[in-house]
Amino acid sequence: YSCGGCAELGGAVREIAGEFPDAVFRFVSAETDADVFRQYGIDRVPCLIVTKSGSEVGRCYGYQPPEILLLWLQNVIGTK
């Protein structure tokens, strides 16, 4: 991770990833994945983008604790 907030968010995502067995979590870096940043218009980090069938359905910026991230993802994805 290139920033502290990214490392924290990555840890939170890893902590709750098991709740979403069908989800694919991809971690990208501004330094090595500039094309992804341009494609999604990411202008600050950390950033979590949720896509469904190729379309963006949710986006959040900044660190979120695992319990808040879990609730947000459940709402965005429409589970539980």
Side-chain angles (χ1 to χ4, degrees):
Y1 299 104
S2 57
C3 73
C6 298
E8 288 181 306
L9 182 59
V13 168
R14 283 187 175 84
E15 189 173 322
I16 64 162
E19 298 289 326
F20 305 94
D22 296 328
V24 175
F25 293 94
R26 179 178 175 203
F27 296 89
V28 297
S29 165
E31 297 166 357
T32 58
D33 301 299
D35 57 327
V36 175
F37 274 64
R38 280 190 300 278
Q39 176 184 355
Y40 288 99
I42 299 169
D43 58 359
R44 59 191 183 273
V45 293
C47 177
L48 178 62
I49 297 173
V50 178
T51 62
K52 227 179 197 181
S53 302
S55 297
E56 183 174 328
V57 294
R59 178 182 295 228
C60 81
Y61 289 100
Y63 169 74
Q64 302 296 324
E67 58 276 6
I68 299 300
L69 192 59
L70 177 63
L71 292 172
W72 180 77
L73 282 169
Q74 287 171 340
N75 184 54
V76 169
I77 295 172
T79 61
K80 299 186 183 181

